[in-house]
Amino acid sequence: MRHPLLSRRRVRLGAAAATVVVAGTAAFGVGQATAEHSVPRTDKEIPNLTQVQDKIKAYYGDTVTADGQHYASPHSNYAKQVRGITDSARRYLDKVAKDARTHHHGKKPAIVLDMDDTTLLTYNYELQVGFHHTEAAQDKYLASTDMEAVYGMDRLVNRAHRQGIEVFFVTGRKEAQREWSVRNLKNVGYGVPLDRAHVYLKDKKNPPAYLPCGATCSTVEFKAGTRKHIESRGYDIVANFGDQYSDLNGGYGDKTFKLPNPMYFLP
């Protein structure tokens, strides 16, 4: 959800104006600051940060290993919500694949997916950094650690690919993280092509010519512009998956699927 208090480029729980999201809907306390009162008048309009973190841990079914790693439980409300979304997406993509086999429309069906908290779960990383994301912390983590697949998304993606639907990843991760990102996707079971023609990362040093905004692209401009480019290659993006609305806005996708993520907001 877009919270009126959150305006930084990547807003996380380290900010005083954290958001509680349960089962994909905002669950704010009494006196929640609104768009009309974006600057809280009293402390009662600000969610308590500790309580927000506790709710998020409960939602993910926080499970801690002996070495201090945090994992989401497959029995958590988060996992149940994601299963509902993947079940719906599977039925839709099965129908798309069947239609593509019987009706030739000239364009090959494709799906586009974000990475963080859409195909790869950042929950353990978020707990390790105390919900305080920095590029340096992310680099260190990704270089040495694989994130889990988001529940059911690996099976959904592989099933779609087996049925003839092309798979593309479009992520706001930087180009320098490509090797780590591809390694992670392979290691957790995404058995689809992961070359440069199928995995798009942000490259501010050498932005592609098909993005008019170049190195200054917003998330929406980068992702929508990349989807436009993919469709220009002869694909019909039948579904676009993301955990942020900025993953989904901007068009170039027949249907969108929003994955839950109460941990941060990306405009």
Side-chain angles (χ1 to χ4, degrees), residues 56-79:
I56 288 175
K57 290 178 182 179
Y59 170 60
Y60 281 93
D62 188 46
T63 303
V64 187
T65 61
D67 60 350
Q69 302 300 307
H70 291 260
Y71 294 96
S73 167
H75 307 294
S76 65
N77 287 337
Y78 166 75

Side-chain angles (χ1 to χ4, degrees), residues 8 10-16 18 49-50 52-54 56-57 68 70 122-134 137-138 141 262-264:
R8 290 176 56 192
R10 186 178 179 94
V11 182
R12 293 178 174 265
L13 287 176
L49 185 56
T50 300
V52 170
Q53 292 182 357
D54 288 345
I56 288 175
K57 290 178 182 179
H70 291 260
T122 72
Y123 181 71
N124 181 54
Y125 164 74
E126 296 293 345
L127 270 292
Q128 295 300 320
V129 300
F131 297 105
H132 181 61
H133 166 82
T134 65
Q138 187 185 47
Y141 189 93
M263 295 184 290
Y264 55 87

Side-chain angles (χ1 to χ4, degrees), residues 8-12 116 125-126 129 131-144 147 171-178 180-181 201-205 215 217 219 266:
R8 290 176 56 192
R9 190 66 180 168
R10 186 178 179 94
V11 182
R12 293 178 174 265
D116 291 318
Y125 164 74
E126 296 293 345
V129 300
F131 297 105
H132 181 61
H133 166 82
T134 65
E135 285 196 6
Q138 187 185 47
D139 283 349
K140 182 179 179 180
Y141 189 93
L142 295 179
S144 61
M147 294 177 176
T171 173
R173 290 186 181 186
K174 59 190 179 183
E175 178 62 33
Q177 296 171 332
R178 177 178 294 276
W180 305 328
S181 300
L201 295 90
K202 261 192 173 180
D203 190 347
K204 290 187 176 181
K205 291 183 178 179
C217 287
T219 300
L266 286 168

